[in-house]
Every structure is written in structure tokens, then in C-alpha cells.
Amino acid sequence: MRAHQIMTRSVISVTPETSIVDAANLMLQRHVSGLPVIDGQGKLVGIVSEGDFLRRSEIGTQRKRRNWLRFILGPGTSANDFVGEHGRKVGEVMTTTPVTINEDTALAEIADLMEQKNIKRLPVVRGDKVVGIVSRASLLQAVASLARQVPDPTADDDHIRNRIIDTMEKTDWCPYGLNVIVRDGIVHLSGVITEERSRQAAIVAAENVEGVKKVHDHLCWVDTITGVYLNSPEDDRLAKAG
């Protein structure tokens, strides 16, 4: 399998000018651990993640370096620490050299990168434009949905996946972070919904694509105000059965 077969196409992003507060709230509401940072020309310029919020003045977690270490490291390091701990915009705290992959990157290579770099998500780029995101959750979903031995992905499965995504992305109820995995005509839907009626609409949209044999619902419902979330009824049943 390759990145384009499991990546989330509807990428949630921020700009360098986005405030730290807005970025943190967006990550909490959408249940994501990081966000690509896109400039005015649509180019990927960085990524902001949970780790960038660990050392913040608001919560009193600034670095407390010993005097001798500050002397050795010099004032430049202290200045960088200060910006990261007090910066008000995403551009001031983001990682400016994010690790990226392309649409044809193999899953084995993706897993190696995540492990070696200790990162949870990888932007998928075409040139300098972001066309998707592969996260650890994407890999987990692939493992869960493909636990049984099945044939390698076929052109028909890729066609089905593309048609499902294209159909849903044209609607105003499309799940956030929609991810679709198809194997031998069996579809697994995952992502976030904020309106329960969107669940049935998504299932129906998938069922109406020619070649689909069955649809599995892994869509997670999230209350955007409280952040409370519920797994899909199907996943709840599986958890109880296990």
C-alpha cells in the first residue's frame, strides 16, 4: 500500500499568522495532533504540533536552564526559548523544516519515518503543495480494517475510493478528516462528524458507488463545544464483543 491509498485528503491547516490560541482550539476540536502551516501561495512552510505547546509561559512550563548551561549555549538559545514560550503566532513556534512524503511513498517507509523522527503525522506533498495527511491513526485504521489477508489493492478499489471521496467532498456535511480505505470492494469510513445525521448520509454516499459490497462505519462524533466524542456504534459493538 502507498500513501495515496490511506491519506486524508481534506487537510485542516493554519497560516503563519494564525494565533496560538486559535491553532490550539482547532487541534482540540478536530482531534488532531498537528496542523500543516500554509502560506498565502498555498505552499507548505511548516507544521505546528502538540509538542510546540509543551513549553509555554501561560501554563508555567518554560525551560529552566542552569546558569552554566545558559552561558555555554549563549544568548541565541535563550532568545529562541523565549520566542517559543511567549510567541503569539503559529509562525513563531512552528517547525520550519517538516518531514514530508509524496503520494507514492510506501507504508513501510512511512512507518520508518514516524518511528525514526518520533512524529505522529506526515504531510503528503505534490511539488510544494499539500494534498493530504497520513497520521498514525491512518496506519492504525489500515491495520484494523485490513487485519484479514486480502489481495493487493486493485485499480477498481482505487476507483471506488476516489469516487466516494469526490462525492462527499462536494457536500456541506462531509466528515472532517475524511479517510476512506477500500479492499476488495469493502469500504471503511473514518473521520469526525459534528452532526449525527451526517453518519447515515456518508454511509449512503458510499453504498451508492458502483462496486461497493459493504460499508464499515468508524466515524467519530464530536461535540465542538465541549470536545466530548463518541465512537461509531459499530466500533462500540466491536469493543464490547472483544
Side-chain angles (χ1 to χ4, degrees):
M1 291 186 73
R2 299 188 180 277
H4 73 90
Q5 293 169 307
I6 69 167
M7 71 183 187
T8 298
R9 289 188 183 180
S10 53
V11 181
I12 305 166
S13 63
V14 290
T15 72
E17 299 302 312
T18 302
S19 75
I20 294 294
V21 172
D22 286 345
N25 283 330
L26 186 58
M27 290 166 65
L28 288 170
Q29 291 168 2
R30 302 296 176 84
H31 287 262
V32 294
S33 60
L35 298 166
V37 185
I38 311 295
D39 68 11
Q41 285 70 51
K43 180 181 178 181
L44 177 70
V45 293
I47 193 161
V48 62
S49 67
E50 293 169 334
D52 297 313
F53 296 94
L54 291 179
R55 301 290 185 179
R56 292 294 300 176
S57 61
E58 298 92 336
I59 55 177
T61 56
Q62 306 97 310
R63 293 185 185 277
K64 296 177 175 62
R65 300 188 190 275
R66 295 182 181 275
N67 289 336
W68 63 268
L69 185 56
R70 287 204 301 271
F71 176 77
I72 293 174
L73 294 175
T77 299
S78 295
N80 282 338
D81 287 348
F82 185 86
V83 172
E85 294 160 359
H86 296 82
R88 312 309 300 170
K89 298 176 182 178
V90 165
E92 296 167 333
V93 304
M94 69 183 185
T95 298
T96 55
T97 54
V99 181
T100 63
I101 55 176
N102 62 49
E103 293 162 284
D104 290 324
T105 303
L107 263 58
E109 184 178 346
I110 293 171
D112 286 342
L113 278 173
M114 288 182 173
E115 188 174 60
Q116 293 166 7
K117 303 293 184 179
N118 192 28
I119 51 181
K120 296 181 179 179
R121 55 205 304 108
L122 289 164
V124 184
V125 297
R126 185 185 301 150
D128 58 6
K129 307 292 184 183
V130 177
V131 294
I133 287 284
V134 172
S135 66
R136 291 186 181 184
S138 304
L139 294 177
L140 179 63
Q141 187 61 53
V143 170
S145 60
L146 305 176
R148 296 179 180 176
Q149 291 295 324
V150 294
D152 286 338
T154 64
D156 283 344
D157 283 338
D158 283 346
H159 258 127
I160 290 171
R161 181 177 190 269
N162 290 336
R163 284 196 288 267
I164 291 172
I165 292 173
D166 290 343
T167 298
M168 290 199 201
E169 285 185 340
K170 294 174 183 176
T171 72
D172 57 2
W173 46 260
C174 181
Y176 298 114
L178 173 66
N179 194 21
V180 180
I181 295 176
V182 184
R183 274 295 177 278
D184 200 25
I186 297 174
V187 178
H188 292 262
L189 301 176
S190 60
V192 174
I193 57 173
T194 57
E195 162 61 63
E196 188 58 35
R197 287 171 291 186
S198 300
R199 183 186 308 282
Q200 191 60 40
I203 294 171
V204 169
E207 289 174 339
N208 274 275
V209 171
E210 185 177 353
V212 171
K213 299 176 182 177
K214 189 173 183 179
V215 179
H216 290 285
D217 166 29
H218 309 289
L219 297 169
C220 171
W221 175 85
V222 174
D223 186 319
T224 57
I225 297 176
T226 64
V228 171
Y229 70 94
L230 297 173
N231 290 325
S232 72
E234 180 175 343
D235 285 347
D236 272 345
R237 286 194 299 271
L238 288 174
K240 291 175 182 177

